[in-house]
Amino acid sequence: MDAFTRTHRTGSTKQHIKGVVSMVQKLKQASSKKKASAALALTVATSMVLAACGGGSSNTESGTNASTDSGSSKATTLKVEVFDRGNSPKGSTITNNYLTNFVQDNFGTPNNINMEFVPVPRSEETNKLNVLMASGSDVPDIVFTYDSGTFYRYAQQGGLTDLTELLDQYGPNLKQFLTDETLAYGQLEGKQYGLPAKRSHLGKYSSFIRQDWLDKLGLPVPQTTDELYTTLKAFKEQDPGQTGGKVIPLGMSIAPAQYEPLIWSFIKPMTEEESYTLTQQLSSRDYPILLPGFKDAMSFMNKLYNEGLMSPDFSLDKDKTKLSENVTKGLVGFFSEDDMNPYYPDGMYATLQKNNANAVLSAVDVYTNEEGKHPKPEYSPIGMYIMIPKASKHAAEAIKYLDWMASGDNLFQMQNGVEGENYTLVNDVPVVNADAADEIKNRLYNQGDMAIISNGKQLGDADKNVEAYVVGMPEKYQEDTRKALTISRTDTIKPILFDKPIEAQAKYGTSLLDKFNEIIVKLTMVKPDQFDSTYDQMIKEYLANGGQAILDERTAAYKAMKQ
Amino acid sequence: MNAILYFKRYWQMYALLFLPVLYFAIFKYGPMYGIIIAFKDFNFFQGINGSEWIGLDAFREVFAMPDFTKTLRNTLMLNLLDLMVSFPAPLILAVMLYELKITWFKKISQTILYIPHFISWVIIGGIVYQVFGTQSGMINNIVTSMGFDAIPFLTDKNDWLFTYLIVGVWQSAGWGTIIYLAALTGINRELFEAADVDGAGRFRKIWSITLPSLKPTIVTLLIISLGNMIAIGFERPYIIGNTSVRDYSDVLSTFVYRVGIESGQYTIATVVGLFQAVVGLVFVLGANYASKKLADQSIL
C-alpha cells in the first residue's frame, strides 16, 4: 500500500472497489501484448488531449497574469505532475482547485512563474510516467513515483537531472526539511537524482483481537506467540462468537499486512552482515526468505492451517477483501493489519459493530521472538521519489518550488488549510473541523498529492505526527488508534539501504515477489509430512529464479561498502 | 492497354480498398518497427534508434529463464487441454440445437448460451470465486453439507485445471455455435428427406449429413485454433489463476506482463512476443499444410 492511500484508507468496500478498479485498469492496459501496445497508444493520445486541456486552462490564467505585470520579463511555465484519482469535488478540477490556486498565488505569481499541473491517473502511475518520460520534450518538470525500481531505472538510464548542486544553490530549506537520512534514498553513486518525500509516521502493523471473545471465555490477552496458539485453539473449539463452526481463529490473507508481522517475529536476531546480505528486497519491500527463522515461521503457519486455525481461502485473498468481510461478519478472532486501518469511519471495526453491537476489537502486540520482543518491519523514512527529468529546462525553478513548499508554514497550510475554517489547533496538533461546510473541507481533497515533499502530516516530531492521525479518527476509536499506532512503532526493523541499487533486484524483483507469495501459500497448505521436502524444493526454485543472483550481488555490495 | 481499361472500370473498388489497406499499414505493419527492440538494449531516453544493438543476447537470456520454460509449457498445456475440451463443445451444442424443432425454444436457448461471451472476465472471476471457493463457494457448501470434504477447486492445481476448462467452455461454447449454425443453414434439406426415405435414424443423419457438411468449417476453425496454440489470452489465466496454482496458471502472457510492463524490461517482453508470433506462424502453416494433405481442406 502506498503512502497516500495509507493516509486515506477507508472501509473495506472502498478498498474492494479500488482493488477491482485497479485490476480492471491493469487488464485494460495489458490484457495481452497487443492490447498493451494499443493501450499505450491510447494513453499517449489521452495524455496529449489532457496536456492540451491543461495548457488551455493555464493559458487563460497566464493571460490575466501577464496583463497585470506587464513590462516584466516573460513568465516561465513550470509543469508539475499531479495524481488524478478522479475524486475532484464539484466546482474544481484536478488542474484547477484551491491548492493549485494557493500554489499559483503564493509561489507562482510572486516569482513570475505559471504553474501547470499535469494529471496522471493514480492507478496507471508507472505506465503513464513511462510514456511521459519517453516523450522527451513534453515531460513535466517535476515527476514522481512510489516505485523505487522505476526511479533507479530512470537514474541509471540517464533520464534524470543530477540535483546535487541545484539543491545546495536553490534548496536550503528543502534540504533541511528532508534531512540527510531521507535524501540518502535518492542518491545513486553519490549523485542526488531524486528527492524522496519525508514520511511522518514509520509504523506499519499492529494486531487485533476480539476482546469480547476473550472475556466470554475468561481468557487473558495472549502475550506471546505460544499463548496466542492456545487462544486460537480455544476460539476454534469453544466458538465464543457462535459462528456455527465458521470461526476463523486467525484471519490471514496473501497481503503483507497479514503475514509480515507473523513471519518477522520468527526471524532470529541478526547481525548487521546478515541483515545486509540475506535480506531480499523485492519491489521496495524487504523479505526475510533466506534469513534464519523463516522456516520456523512457515512451519508455524503450516501448523495453524492444517489444524484449521487459519482462513482456509487465504491464498485467494490478495487485496484483503475476504479478510475484511470475515472480520466484519464477526468470524475472525485475531488478525494483523495496517496499524490504524480498522478504525476509519465506516471501516472494519465500525462495520463489525454495526453487525454486532457487543463486538470489541482491541489492538494487541502478540507475536514474540526468542528475546521476548515484538519485531515487525517499519516503513523506510520516505514516501515517493520526486524527480526532475533531464529533458526539463526548468530544473532551478522546480527546486525553488519544492524549496518554497518546505519553507515557512507553506507545507502546513497546504496540508491543513485555513485555521478556524479547516482546523483548530489543540496542543499544537491541528484538529480537523468536522462540521465545516463541504466547500471548505473540499479544499484539501488532494493535499496528499499536492504537498509532495511530505508523506503524512509533519508537525515537528513523530508523536505529534501520530497524534494528527489519532484526532482524525472517530472519537470513540481514538484511544484504540493511539494504541495501535504505538504498537506499530515498537521493536521495529528498519529497511536495509545500500549506497547503490542492486540490479538483480530490479530485474527479478516482481517475478520473485510472486514466487515468494507462492512459497508462503504452498508451505502453509502442504500436508505436514511433506513440509520439509517442499521447503527444500521451493527454496531451490527461488534461488534459481534470481534469488541467488540477488544474494551474490548483495554480498558483493556489502563487502564493497565495508572496505 | 487492357490494364488501363480495367482500372477505368474498377477504380472505385480500389478506392474502397484504400482505407482498409492504409489502416493495416499504419496499425499492423507500422508497429512492427518496434520488433527491433528485441535486438537492442532498449533505453527509452535514447529511443529505439539510440539504443545499443545486442544481437541475440536477449533471446539467450529469455530461453535460459526457468520462468520462461515453465510458462511456455503451461501455455501449451492449457491450450491443448482447451482444444480438447472447448473445441468440440460448440460443435456438439450446434448439432443439438440444429436438431431442435421448436423454433422459439431454440432461439431462447441459443441466446442464453452465448450471453456469457459478453461478460467481462473480471466479473466471471468474481462469479468463479463465489461458486468454486473452498470455504464459502456454492458447490463446496453443498458438498460439505452432505458430509464430504470440500474440494479445492481453486487452490489445488489439478482441480484448478478442471475449473479453468469448465469456465472456458461455459464462457465460449455458446458463442462458438454461431459459426456452425450459420454453416448448417446451408445444408440442402433434400438430403435429410432422402435419408428419411432410406430409413436413416437421427444419429445416422447427424453422422452422414450434418457432420460432413460442417467439415470445412471444422477444419478452418481447427487451423485457426492451432495457430493460436502459443498465444494465450491474458484475462482468463490471470483472473481465474491465483498464487496457489501458479505452477499451472502462469503463462506467457502473464509472464510478459510481469517482466515487460511491471519490471520495465521491454527488450525481454518483445523477445517473448516475437517468439510467440513466429511459433504461431509455424503452427498455422503446419496445420494448414497437414490438413491440405490429409483432408484436402485448407484456408491459405
Side-chain angles (χ1 to χ4, degrees), chain A residues 95-126:
Chain A
T95 52
N96 182 12
N97 52 55
Y98 172 82
L99 286 172
T100 57
N101 292 328
F102 179 84
V103 169
Q104 180 62 47
D105 294 343
N106 292 284
F107 169 75
T109 312
N111 292 295
N112 200 21
I113 291 172
N114 291 319
M115 299 299 295
E116 183 186 326
F117 290 90
V118 182
V120 167
R122 173 66 187 99
S123 52
E124 39 192 295
E125 184 226 320
T126 316

PDB file of all heavy atoms in Angstrom, chain A residues 95-126:
ATOM      1  N   THR A  95      -6.690  20.100 -12.100  1.00  0.00           N
ATOM      2  CA  THR A  95      -5.704  21.114 -12.502  1.00  0.00           C
ATOM      3  C   THR A  95      -6.105  22.518 -12.075  1.00  0.00           C
ATOM      4  O   THR A  95      -5.377  23.469 -12.301  1.00  0.00           O
ATOM      5  CB  THR A  95      -5.517  21.103 -14.035  1.00  0.00           C
ATOM      6  OG1 THR A  95      -6.804  21.192 -14.631  1.00  0.00           O
ATOM      7  CG2 THR A  95      -4.833  19.848 -14.493  1.00  0.00           C
ATOM      8  N   ASN A  96      -7.276  22.657 -11.488  1.00  0.00           N
ATOM      9  CA  ASN A  96      -7.712  23.981 -11.054  1.00  0.00           C
ATOM     10  C   ASN A  96      -8.560  23.827  -9.806  1.00  0.00           C
ATOM     11  O   ASN A  96      -9.751  23.559  -9.874  1.00  0.00           O
ATOM     12  CB  ASN A  96      -8.501  24.664 -12.173  1.00  0.00           C
ATOM     13  CG  ASN A  96      -8.927  26.071 -11.781  1.00  0.00           C
ATOM     14  OD1 ASN A  96      -8.459  26.610 -10.772  1.00  0.00           O
ATOM     15  ND2 ASN A  96      -9.821  26.649 -12.561  1.00  0.00           N
ATOM     16  N   ASN A  97      -7.917  23.978  -8.650  1.00  0.00           N
ATOM     17  CA  ASN A  97      -8.648  23.844  -7.392  1.00  0.00           C
ATOM     18  C   ASN A  97      -7.993  24.727  -6.335  1.00  0.00           C
ATOM     19  O   ASN A  97      -7.048  25.470  -6.632  1.00  0.00           O
ATOM     20  CB  ASN A  97      -8.665  22.370  -6.964  1.00  0.00           C
ATOM     21  CG  ASN A  97      -7.277  21.760  -6.939  1.00  0.00           C
ATOM     22  OD1 ASN A  97      -6.379  22.277  -6.282  1.00  0.00           O
ATOM     23  ND2 ASN A  97      -7.083  20.685  -7.691  1.00  0.00           N
ATOM     24  N   TYR A  98      -8.477  24.633  -5.121  1.00  0.00           N
ATOM     25  CA  TYR A  98      -7.986  25.516  -4.060  1.00  0.00           C
ATOM     26  C   TYR A  98      -6.464  25.471  -3.960  1.00  0.00           C
ATOM     27  O   TYR A  98      -5.798  26.499  -3.894  1.00  0.00           O
ATOM     28  CB  TYR A  98      -8.627  25.107  -2.729  1.00  0.00           C
ATOM     29  CG  TYR A  98      -8.047  25.842  -1.535  1.00  0.00           C
ATOM     30  CD1 TYR A  98      -8.479  27.118  -1.210  1.00  0.00           C
ATOM     31  CD2 TYR A  98      -7.065  25.246  -0.743  1.00  0.00           C
ATOM     32  CE1 TYR A  98      -7.946  27.794  -0.117  1.00  0.00           C
ATOM     33  CE2 TYR A  98      -6.525  25.916   0.344  1.00  0.00           C
ATOM     34  CZ  TYR A  98      -6.968  27.194   0.649  1.00  0.00           C
ATOM     35  OH  TYR A  98      -6.432  27.860   1.704  1.00  0.00           O
ATOM     36  N   LEU A  99      -5.913  24.247  -3.971  1.00  0.00           N
ATOM     37  CA  LEU A  99      -4.473  24.129  -3.754  1.00  0.00           C
ATOM     38  C   LEU A  99      -3.654  24.582  -4.965  1.00  0.00           C
ATOM     39  O   LEU A  99      -2.590  25.183  -4.797  1.00  0.00           O
ATOM     40  CB  LEU A  99      -4.112  22.691  -3.368  1.00  0.00           C
ATOM     41  CG  LEU A  99      -4.504  22.327  -1.935  1.00  0.00           C
ATOM     42  CD1 LEU A  99      -4.293  20.843  -1.680  1.00  0.00           C
ATOM     43  CD2 LEU A  99      -3.708  23.146  -0.920  1.00  0.00           C
ATOM     44  N   THR A 100      -4.145  24.317  -6.170  1.00  0.00           N
ATOM     45  CA  THR A 100      -3.383  24.802  -7.328  1.00  0.00           C
ATOM     46  C   THR A 100      -3.369  26.326  -7.320  1.00  0.00           C
ATOM     47  O   THR A 100      -2.352  26.951  -7.619  1.00  0.00           O
ATOM     48  CB  THR A 100      -3.974  24.308  -8.668  1.00  0.00           C
ATOM     49  OG1 THR A 100      -5.328  24.715  -8.746  1.00  0.00           O
ATOM     50  CG2 THR A 100      -3.897  22.804  -8.812  1.00  0.00           C
ATOM     51  N   ASN A 101      -4.498  26.921  -6.933  1.00  0.00           N
ATOM     52  CA  ASN A 101      -4.539  28.381  -6.860  1.00  0.00           C
ATOM     53  C   ASN A 101      -3.659  28.910  -5.731  1.00  0.00           C
ATOM     54  O   ASN A 101      -3.006  29.940  -5.864  1.00  0.00           O
ATOM     55  CB  ASN A 101      -5.975  28.861  -6.665  1.00  0.00           C
ATOM     56  CG  ASN A 101      -6.805  28.591  -7.906  1.00  0.00           C
ATOM     57  OD1 ASN A 101      -6.278  28.626  -9.014  1.00  0.00           O
ATOM     58  ND2 ASN A 101      -8.076  28.287  -7.724  1.00  0.00           N
ATOM     59  N   PHE A 102      -3.649  28.159  -4.616  1.00  0.00           N
ATOM     60  CA  PHE A 102      -2.805  28.544  -3.487  1.00  0.00           C
ATOM     61  C   PHE A 102      -1.342  28.590  -3.933  1.00  0.00           C
ATOM     62  O   PHE A 102      -0.607  29.522  -3.624  1.00  0.00           O
ATOM     63  CB  PHE A 102      -2.999  27.532  -2.354  1.00  0.00           C
ATOM     64  CG  PHE A 102      -2.157  27.797  -1.137  1.00  0.00           C
ATOM     65  CD1 PHE A 102      -2.573  28.701  -0.171  1.00  0.00           C
ATOM     66  CD2 PHE A 102      -0.941  27.140  -0.964  1.00  0.00           C
ATOM     67  CE1 PHE A 102      -1.797  28.939   0.955  1.00  0.00           C
ATOM     68  CE2 PHE A 102      -0.156  27.386   0.156  1.00  0.00           C
ATOM     69  CZ  PHE A 102      -0.593  28.291   1.118  1.00  0.00           C
ATOM     70  N   VAL A 103      -0.941  27.562  -4.676  1.00  0.00           N
ATOM     71  CA  VAL A 103       0.438  27.489  -5.155  1.00  0.00           C
ATOM     72  C   VAL A 103       0.727  28.620  -6.137  1.00  0.00           C
ATOM     73  O   VAL A 103       1.745  29.296  -6.051  1.00  0.00           O
ATOM     74  CB  VAL A 103       0.708  26.116  -5.808  1.00  0.00           C
ATOM     75  CG1 VAL A 103       2.027  26.120  -6.546  1.00  0.00           C
ATOM     76  CG2 VAL A 103       0.688  25.012  -4.763  1.00  0.00           C
ATOM     77  N   GLN A 104      -0.220  28.835  -7.054  1.00  0.00           N
ATOM     78  CA  GLN A 104      -0.011  29.885  -8.047  1.00  0.00           C
ATOM     79  C   GLN A 104       0.114  31.260  -7.368  1.00  0.00           C
ATOM     80  O   GLN A 104       1.019  32.030  -7.664  1.00  0.00           O
ATOM     81  CB  GLN A 104      -1.184  29.893  -9.050  1.00  0.00           C
ATOM     82  CG  GLN A 104      -1.084  30.938 -10.139  1.00  0.00           C
ATOM     83  CD  GLN A 104       0.138  30.729 -11.033  1.00  0.00           C
ATOM     84  OE1 GLN A 104       0.409  29.626 -11.491  1.00  0.00           O
ATOM     85  NE2 GLN A 104       0.899  31.784 -11.248  1.00  0.00           N
ATOM     86  N   ASP A 105      -0.785  31.535  -6.414  1.00  0.00           N
ATOM     87  CA  ASP A 105      -0.798  32.853  -5.770  1.00  0.00           C
ATOM     88  C   ASP A 105       0.408  33.067  -4.868  1.00  0.00           C
ATOM     89  O   ASP A 105       0.939  34.165  -4.792  1.00  0.00           O
ATOM     90  CB  ASP A 105      -2.083  33.019  -4.940  1.00  0.00           C
ATOM     91  CG  ASP A 105      -3.308  33.038  -5.829  1.00  0.00           C
ATOM     92  OD1 ASP A 105      -3.139  33.246  -7.045  1.00  0.00           O
ATOM     93  OD2 ASP A 105      -4.427  32.829  -5.315  1.00  0.00           O
ATOM     94  N   ASN A 106       0.822  32.038  -4.164  1.00  0.00           N
ATOM     95  CA  ASN A 106       1.870  32.230  -3.170  1.00  0.00           C
ATOM     96  C   ASN A 106       3.269  31.934  -3.675  1.00  0.00           C
ATOM     97  O   ASN A 106       4.243  32.414  -3.128  1.00  0.00           O
ATOM     98  CB  ASN A 106       1.594  31.374  -1.934  1.00  0.00           C
ATOM     99  CG  ASN A 106       0.376  31.863  -1.189  1.00  0.00           C
ATOM    100  OD1 ASN A 106       0.433  32.869  -0.491  1.00  0.00           O
ATOM    101  ND2 ASN A 106      -0.743  31.182  -1.373  1.00  0.00           N
ATOM    102  N   PHE A 107       3.358  31.078  -4.693  1.00  0.00           N
ATOM    103  CA  PHE A 107       4.678  30.802  -5.260  1.00  0.00           C
ATOM    104  C   PHE A 107       4.800  31.286  -6.699  1.00  0.00           C
ATOM    105  O   PHE A 107       5.741  32.002  -7.047  1.00  0.00           O
ATOM    106  CB  PHE A 107       5.000  29.304  -5.200  1.00  0.00           C
ATOM    107  CG  PHE A 107       6.219  28.943  -5.995  1.00  0.00           C
ATOM    108  CD1 PHE A 107       7.481  29.255  -5.507  1.00  0.00           C
ATOM    109  CD2 PHE A 107       6.121  28.328  -7.237  1.00  0.00           C
ATOM    110  CE1 PHE A 107       8.619  28.954  -6.246  1.00  0.00           C
ATOM    111  CE2 PHE A 107       7.254  28.026  -7.974  1.00  0.00           C
ATOM    112  CZ  PHE A 107       8.510  28.343  -7.480  1.00  0.00           C
ATOM    113  N   GLY A 108       3.835  30.929  -7.503  1.00  0.00           N
ATOM    114  CA  GLY A 108       3.927  31.199  -8.934  1.00  0.00           C
ATOM    115  C   GLY A 108       3.979  32.678  -9.261  1.00  0.00           C
ATOM    116  O   GLY A 108       4.982  33.189  -9.783  1.00  0.00           O
ATOM    117  N   THR A 109       2.917  33.396  -8.931  1.00  0.00           N
ATOM    118  CA  THR A 109       2.811  34.795  -9.316  1.00  0.00           C
ATOM    119  C   THR A 109       3.967  35.654  -8.777  1.00  0.00           C
ATOM    120  O   THR A 109       4.564  36.411  -9.544  1.00  0.00           O
ATOM    121  CB  THR A 109       1.438  35.338  -8.888  1.00  0.00           C
ATOM    122  OG1 THR A 109       0.446  34.401  -9.309  1.00  0.00           O
ATOM    123  CG2 THR A 109       1.161  36.679  -9.516  1.00  0.00           C
ATOM    124  N   PRO A 110       4.323  35.530  -7.479  1.00  0.00           N
ATOM    125  CA  PRO A 110       5.446  36.353  -6.990  1.00  0.00           C
ATOM    126  C   PRO A 110       6.749  36.087  -7.721  1.00  0.00           C
ATOM    127  O   PRO A 110       7.620  36.951  -7.781  1.00  0.00           O
ATOM    128  CB  PRO A 110       5.562  35.948  -5.516  1.00  0.00           C
ATOM    129  CG  PRO A 110       4.267  35.339  -5.157  1.00  0.00           C
ATOM    130  CD  PRO A 110       3.718  34.740  -6.399  1.00  0.00           C
ATOM    131  N   ASN A 111       6.921  34.881  -8.251  1.00  0.00           N
ATOM    132  CA  ASN A 111       8.174  34.551  -8.928  1.00  0.00           C
ATOM    133  C   ASN A 111       8.060  34.610 -10.441  1.00  0.00           C
ATOM    134  O   ASN A 111       8.957  34.138 -11.146  1.00  0.00           O
ATOM    135  CB  ASN A 111       8.644  33.150  -8.513  1.00  0.00           C
ATOM    136  CG  ASN A 111       9.063  33.124  -7.062  1.00  0.00           C
ATOM    137  OD1 ASN A 111      10.037  33.767  -6.675  1.00  0.00           O
ATOM    138  ND2 ASN A 111       8.301  32.420  -6.237  1.00  0.00           N
ATOM    139  N   ASN A 112       6.938  35.125 -10.906  1.00  0.00           N
ATOM    140  CA  ASN A 112       6.697  35.213 -12.343  1.00  0.00           C
ATOM    141  C   ASN A 112       6.749  33.835 -13.021  1.00  0.00           C
ATOM    142  O   ASN A 112       7.393  33.653 -14.037  1.00  0.00           O
ATOM    143  CB  ASN A 112       7.711  36.166 -12.987  1.00  0.00           C
ATOM    144  CG  ASN A 112       7.219  36.652 -14.343  1.00  0.00           C
ATOM    145  OD1 ASN A 112       6.024  36.604 -14.623  1.00  0.00           O
ATOM    146  ND2 ASN A 112       8.141  37.109 -15.178  1.00  0.00           N
ATOM    147  N   ILE A 113       6.119  32.886 -12.368  1.00  0.00           N
ATOM    148  CA  ILE A 113       6.078  31.514 -12.900  1.00  0.00           C
ATOM    149  C   ILE A 113       4.620  31.087 -13.017  1.00  0.00           C
ATOM    150  O   ILE A 113       3.834  31.312 -12.095  1.00  0.00           O
ATOM    151  CB  ILE A 113       6.818  30.536 -11.961  1.00  0.00           C
ATOM    152  CG1 ILE A 113       8.319  30.820 -11.981  1.00  0.00           C
ATOM    153  CG2 ILE A 113       6.545  29.085 -12.345  1.00  0.00           C
ATOM    154  CD1 ILE A 113       9.098  30.047 -10.954  1.00  0.00           C
ATOM    155  N   ASN A 114       4.288  30.512 -14.171  1.00  0.00           N
ATOM    156  CA  ASN A 114       2.956  29.924 -14.301  1.00  0.00           C
ATOM    157  C   ASN A 114       3.025  28.462 -13.917  1.00  0.00           C
ATOM    158  O   ASN A 114       3.763  27.698 -14.524  1.00  0.00           O
ATOM    159  CB  ASN A 114       2.458  30.026 -15.742  1.00  0.00           C
ATOM    160  CG  ASN A 114       2.161  31.453 -16.107  1.00  0.00           C
ATOM    161  OD1 ASN A 114       1.603  32.204 -15.305  1.00  0.00           O
ATOM    162  ND2 ASN A 114       2.565  31.829 -17.305  1.00  0.00           N
ATOM    163  N   MET A 115       2.234  28.089 -12.927  1.00  0.00           N
ATOM    164  CA  MET A 115       2.222  26.690 -12.532  1.00  0.00           C
ATOM    165  C   MET A 115       1.239  25.954 -13.429  1.00  0.00           C
ATOM    166  O   MET A 115       0.105  26.394 -13.620  1.00  0.00           O
ATOM    167  CB  MET A 115       1.756  26.552 -11.076  1.00  0.00           C
ATOM    168  CG  MET A 115       2.644  27.243 -10.077  1.00  0.00           C
ATOM    169  SD  MET A 115       4.318  26.606 -10.079  1.00  0.00           S
ATOM    170  CE  MET A 115       4.071  24.935  -9.511  1.00  0.00           C
ATOM    171  N   GLU A 116       1.709  24.814 -13.965  1.00  0.00           N
ATOM    172  CA  GLU A 116       0.800  23.999 -14.763  1.00  0.00           C
ATOM    173  C   GLU A 116       0.857  22.580 -14.214  1.00  0.00           C
ATOM    174  O   GLU A 116       1.929  21.993 -14.090  1.00  0.00           O
ATOM    175  CB  GLU A 116       1.232  24.026 -16.229  1.00  0.00           C
ATOM    176  CG  GLU A 116       0.294  23.255 -17.124  1.00  0.00           C
ATOM    177  CD  GLU A 116       0.803  23.163 -18.551  1.00  0.00           C
ATOM    178  OE1 GLU A 116       1.436  24.129 -19.023  1.00  0.00           O
ATOM    179  OE2 GLU A 116       0.579  22.116 -19.175  1.00  0.00           O
ATOM    180  N   PHE A 117      -0.299  22.049 -13.842  1.00  0.00           N
ATOM    181  CA  PHE A 117      -0.311  20.704 -13.273  1.00  0.00           C
ATOM    182  C   PHE A 117      -0.728  19.690 -14.325  1.00  0.00           C
ATOM    183  O   PHE A 117      -1.723  19.882 -15.027  1.00  0.00           O
ATOM    184  CB  PHE A 117      -1.217  20.654 -12.044  1.00  0.00           C
ATOM    185  CG  PHE A 117      -0.627  21.415 -10.888  1.00  0.00           C
ATOM    186  CD1 PHE A 117      -0.899  22.765 -10.697  1.00  0.00           C
ATOM    187  CD2 PHE A 117       0.258  20.778 -10.031  1.00  0.00           C
ATOM    188  CE1 PHE A 117      -0.314  23.467  -9.651  1.00  0.00           C
ATOM    189  CE2 PHE A 117       0.841  21.477  -8.984  1.00  0.00           C
ATOM    190  CZ  PHE A 117       0.555  22.819  -8.791  1.00  0.00           C
ATOM    191  N   VAL A 118       0.060  18.638 -14.439  1.00  0.00           N
ATOM    192  CA  VAL A 118      -0.175  17.621 -15.465  1.00  0.00           C
ATOM    193  C   VAL A 118      -0.757  16.378 -14.803  1.00  0.00           C
ATOM    194  O   VAL A 118      -0.080  15.711 -14.030  1.00  0.00           O
ATOM    195  CB  VAL A 118       1.141  17.246 -16.175  1.00  0.00           C
ATOM    196  CG1 VAL A 118       0.880  16.233 -17.271  1.00  0.00           C
ATOM    197  CG2 VAL A 118       1.825  18.486 -16.711  1.00  0.00           C
ATOM    198  N   PRO A 119      -2.028  16.105 -15.047  1.00  0.00           N
ATOM    199  CA  PRO A 119      -2.643  14.979 -14.345  1.00  0.00           C
ATOM    200  C   PRO A 119      -2.188  13.621 -14.868  1.00  0.00           C
ATOM    201  O   PRO A 119      -2.034  13.434 -16.079  1.00  0.00           O
ATOM    202  CB  PRO A 119      -4.139  15.171 -14.612  1.00  0.00           C
ATOM    203  CG  PRO A 119      -4.244  16.096 -15.747  1.00  0.00           C
ATOM    204  CD  PRO A 119      -2.945  16.788 -15.952  1.00  0.00           C
ATOM    205  N   VAL A 120      -1.952  12.700 -13.948  1.00  0.00           N
ATOM    206  CA  VAL A 120      -1.627  11.319 -14.285  1.00  0.00           C
ATOM    207  C   VAL A 120      -2.556  10.442 -13.456  1.00  0.00           C
ATOM    208  O   VAL A 120      -2.608  10.595 -12.244  1.00  0.00           O
ATOM    209  CB  VAL A 120      -0.158  10.999 -13.933  1.00  0.00           C
ATOM    210  CG1 VAL A 120       0.102   9.515 -13.969  1.00  0.00           C
ATOM    211  CG2 VAL A 120       0.786  11.726 -14.866  1.00  0.00           C
ATOM    212  N   PRO A 121      -3.310   9.552 -14.106  1.00  0.00           N
ATOM    213  CA  PRO A 121      -4.223   8.711 -13.332  1.00  0.00           C
ATOM    214  C   PRO A 121      -3.445   7.876 -12.310  1.00  0.00           C
ATOM    215  O   PRO A 121      -2.442   7.252 -12.657  1.00  0.00           O
ATOM    216  CB  PRO A 121      -4.869   7.814 -14.389  1.00  0.00           C
ATOM    217  CG  PRO A 121      -4.604   8.481 -15.689  1.00  0.00           C
ATOM    218  CD  PRO A 121      -3.345   9.270 -15.535  1.00  0.00           C
ATOM    219  N   ARG A 122      -3.894   7.892 -11.078  1.00  0.00           N
ATOM    220  CA  ARG A 122      -3.166   7.230  -9.995  1.00  0.00           C
ATOM    221  C   ARG A 122      -2.900   5.757 -10.294  1.00  0.00           C
ATOM    222  O   ARG A 122      -1.827   5.247 -10.038  1.00  0.00           O
ATOM    223  CB  ARG A 122      -3.971   7.356  -8.692  1.00  0.00           C
ATOM    224  CG  ARG A 122      -3.413   6.573  -7.519  1.00  0.00           C
ATOM    225  CD  ARG A 122      -2.066   7.147  -7.105  1.00  0.00           C
ATOM    226  NE  ARG A 122      -1.422   6.331  -6.097  1.00  0.00           N
ATOM    227  CZ  ARG A 122      -0.471   5.442  -6.370  1.00  0.00           C
ATOM    228  NH1 ARG A 122      -0.099   5.234  -7.603  1.00  0.00           N
ATOM    229  NH2 ARG A 122       0.095   4.750  -5.414  1.00  0.00           N
ATOM    230  N   SER A 123      -3.907   5.084 -10.860  1.00  0.00           N
ATOM    231  CA  SER A 123      -3.802   3.634 -10.961  1.00  0.00           C
ATOM    232  C   SER A 123      -2.852   3.207 -12.075  1.00  0.00           C
ATOM    233  O   SER A 123      -2.406   2.072 -12.109  1.00  0.00           O
ATOM    234  CB  SER A 123      -5.176   3.039 -11.216  1.00  0.00           C
ATOM    235  OG  SER A 123      -5.757   3.691 -12.316  1.00  0.00           O
ATOM    236  N   GLU A 124      -2.555   4.106 -13.004  1.00  0.00           N
ATOM    237  CA  GLU A 124      -1.605   3.707 -14.042  1.00  0.00           C
ATOM    238  C   GLU A 124      -0.380   4.593 -13.997  1.00  0.00           C
ATOM    239  O   GLU A 124       0.215   4.924 -15.031  1.00  0.00           O
ATOM    240  CB  GLU A 124      -2.253   3.699 -15.422  1.00  0.00           C
ATOM    241  CG  GLU A 124      -3.205   4.833 -15.668  1.00  0.00           C
ATOM    242  CD  GLU A 124      -4.024   4.619 -16.932  1.00  0.00           C
ATOM    243  OE1 GLU A 124      -3.427   4.611 -17.999  1.00  0.00           O
ATOM    244  OE2 GLU A 124      -5.245   4.456 -16.831  1.00  0.00           O
ATOM    245  N   GLU A 125      -0.063   4.971 -12.772  1.00  0.00           N
ATOM    246  CA  GLU A 125       1.051   5.857 -12.493  1.00  0.00           C
ATOM    247  C   GLU A 125       2.292   5.542 -13.309  1.00  0.00           C
ATOM    248  O   GLU A 125       2.759   6.352 -14.118  1.00  0.00           O
ATOM    249  CB  GLU A 125       1.335   5.728 -10.990  1.00  0.00           C
ATOM    250  CG  GLU A 125       2.377   6.604 -10.436  1.00  0.00           C
ATOM    251  CD  GLU A 125       3.317   5.836  -9.528  1.00  0.00           C
ATOM    252  OE1 GLU A 125       2.868   4.968  -8.738  1.00  0.00           O
ATOM    253  OE2 GLU A 125       4.503   6.091  -9.635  1.00  0.00           O
ATOM    254  N   THR A 126       2.831   4.320 -13.131  1.00  0.00           N
ATOM    255  CA  THR A 126       4.115   3.996 -13.732  1.00  0.00           C
ATOM    256  C   THR A 126       4.048   3.966 -15.258  1.00  0.00           C
ATOM    257  O   THR A 126       4.922   4.505 -15.928  1.00  0.00           O
ATOM    258  CB  THR A 126       4.616   2.639 -13.218  1.00  0.00           C
ATOM    259  OG1 THR A 126       4.395   2.607 -11.818  1.00  0.00           O
ATOM    260  CG2 THR A 126       6.075   2.471 -13.490  1.00  0.00           C
TER     261      THR A 126
END
